[in-house]
Amino acid sequence: MSFSPASPEASSASHPLAPYGWDEGWEAEFTPYAAQGLLPGRVVRVDRGQCDVVTPGGTVRADTEFVVPRDPLKVVCTGDWVAVDPGGDPRYVRTLLPRRTAFVRSTSSKRSEGQILAANVDHAIIAVPLAVELDLGRIERFLALAWESGAQPLVVLTKADLVPDPTGLSYLVEDVETTAPGVQVLAVSAATGEGVDVLSAVVSGSTSVLLGISGAGKSTLANALLGEDVMEVQATRDADGKGRHTTTTRNLLVLPGGGVLIDTPGLRGVGLWDAGQGVGQVFAEIEELAEKCRFHDCAHGSEPGCAVLAALEDGSLPERRLESYRKLLRENQRIVAKTDARLRAEIRRDWRLKGAEGRAAMEAKRGRIR
């Protein structure tokens, strides 16, 4: 297929990359690179410093060394839109187009780096298996990262056929809906087809990323959405519902109903990465209560006039929910503090003030005892 990157008659609707999400916005972003004779493309796979890029002329293999390698958040990622040279051996990705969204987590390394899992995503599908007991805290963690990415989260309860009682299944859906305000929750079974059509309709015409732990049924769900067995599937262990990493790379695949799907390996750890706003959206009801507290800097510990503690006492706010909120806020603050000197200083100053207040309280108590 011949294609002139500077051709004005190549509208976004008829563009060869339209099935991969190309639109007028990307066309406008690419204009200066088209003038340089470069080709647009979307990254469909990355491994070992190289990537597969689908271009108007087909899929090419390209090196990524021209993109800034020192910043882990600027490395080429599945879902990126890029400019590649039209020829040469090897080919190179010359630049990344500005990302609309980016799903980032904290790495397990002690250097406190962020790792980008997928770029330019519209829907973040969080796969949660019903083969094991629901871990609401983990769901909240995934949701915080999804909201922070800029994508719309969607929780999919997989393996719904393992819960044959409709009433019991409805209770599980309700529990997750309470945990995920503002997020659609779907019960889906790839084995029976339950809910697959609904999910396909939701993600049609958009870019979706499939996230979850090993054994969540992501590859099976991907195959159901694709309408064919593209992704390899392995059985999970009966004892704990866990599985091996069937998917080892992030692959971008075209959906038959329109749109694309990025399948990802199972995630053992989901560390927050500067996800303060995402945490706030997951716990929107607590944030709303906090606005009614007497003191604007209320820590919701023992302060008088605390609306959060009042809700906890009258039972309208579950204690588990508040503890999860506190935990994720503390974790996120630690991550941000590692890269923000001013915040580190503020945290140390807060610790000193609290320490001084504690010592003063102890001295006052000792004085009363005497």
Side-chain angles (χ1 to χ4, degrees):
M1 179 187 297
S2 61
F3 174 80
S4 173
S7 174
E9 64 272 11
S11 67
S12 59
S14 60
H15 197 282
L17 294 177
Y20 291 87
W22 184 264
D23 57 27
E24 292 180 358
W26 293 121
E27 192 167 359
E29 290 283 0
F30 191 76
T31 298
Y33 305 108
Q36 300 172 28
L38 299 177
L39 284 176
R42 192 162 199 192
V43 178
V44 297
R45 177 188 169 99
V46 179
D47 62 273
R48 300 176 184 176
Q50 292 187 312
C51 60
D52 293 337
V53 183
V54 59
T55 73
T59 302
V60 301
R61 188 76 169 162
D63 284 344
T64 63
E65 66 179 59
F66 270 88
V67 180
V68 182
R70 295 176 184 175
D71 186 344
L73 298 183
K74 292 182 179 178
V75 299
V76 176
C77 178
T78 302
D80 271 323
W81 286 98
V82 299
V84 296
D85 48 25
D89 185 20
R91 293 189 174 186
Y92 291 98
V93 170
R94 297 292 175 173
T95 191
L96 297 178
L97 299 189
R99 290 165 175 154
R100 294 178 181 174
T101 63
F103 194 97
V104 182
R105 70 164 176 174
S106 176
T107 65
S108 57
S109 71
K110 296 181 179 179
R111 291 180 295 177
S112 183
E113 294 179 341
Q115 178 190 21
I116 181 166
L117 300 181
N120 301 311
V121 171
D122 301 304
H123 290 98
I125 304 173
I126 301 166
V128 180
L130 291 177
V132 293
E133 184 177 354
L134 287 176
D135 187 337
L136 298 179
R138 180 183 285 130
I139 294 173
E140 289 162 342
R141 181 178 293 273
F142 269 107
L143 286 170
L145 290 174
W147 280 123
E148 191 69 31
S149 76
Q152 171 65 46
L154 172 65
V155 178
V156 173
L157 304 180
T158 63
K159 309 181 183 182
D161 54 292
L162 298 181
V163 186
D165 177 25
T167 302
L169 181 59
S170 68
Y171 285 148
L172 291 173
V173 172
E174 185 177 336
D175 286 344
V176 177
E177 287 176 338
T178 302
T179 301
V183 176
Q184 186 173 7
V185 179
L186 296 175
V188 173
S189 169
T192 65
E194 176 188 353
V196 174
D197 289 345
V198 177
L199 178 59
S200 296
V202 171
V203 302
S204 176
S206 64
T207 296
S208 302
V209 61
L210 195 50
L211 304 157
I213 61 171
S214 297
K218 296 187 302 301
S219 295
T220 302
L221 183 59
N223 286 336
L225 291 171
L226 293 164
E228 56 181 320
D229 291 338
V230 175
M231 308 305 297
E232 182 184 355
V233 176
Q234 293 179 347
T236 57
R237 300 194 297 250
D238 292 334
D240 54 14
K242 294 182 179 179
R244 292 181 297 230
H245 294 294
T246 304
T247 304
T248 56
T249 58
R250 300 173 190 93
N251 304 284
L252 186 148
L253 306 160
V254 177
L255 295 171
V260 294
L261 177 71
I262 299 174
D263 192 21
T264 65
L267 300 175
R268 290 189 179 92
V270 195
L272 299 186
W273 178 259
D274 197 4
Q277 291 185 350
V279 173
Q281 284 184 270
V282 175
F283 300 93
E285 80 279 24
I286 299 179
E287 298 268 304
E288 291 175 4
L289 286 169
E291 294 179 359
K292 302 175 183 177
C293 292
R294 180 183 302 176
F295 304 108
H296 74 279
D297 58 347
C298 183
H300 320 307
S302 58
E303 296 87 346
C306 175
V308 174
L309 293 180
L312 191 66
E313 291 175 4
D314 68 23
S316 59
L317 175 64
E319 185 174 358
R320 186 210 67 80
R321 187 89 168 138
L322 179 58
E323 286 304 311
S324 182
Y325 173 68
R326 287 169 170 165
K327 178 181 178 181
L328 292 183
L329 279 183
R330 288 194 300 267
E331 178 183 331
N332 191 67
Q333 189 179 51
R334 285 196 301 269
I335 290 294
V336 175
K338 289 181 179 180
T339 57
D340 189 328
R342 186 181 66 176
L343 181 58
R344 286 199 301 272
E346 289 177 356
I347 292 174
R348 284 195 294 268
R349 184 166 60 251
D350 186 50
W351 285 343
R352 287 196 296 269
L353 287 173
K354 288 182 178 178
E357 290 172 357
R359 288 190 295 272
M362 287 298 296
E363 289 298 327
K365 184 177 180 180
R366 288 171 183 162
R368 287 195 299 270
I369 292 175
R370 293 194 189 112

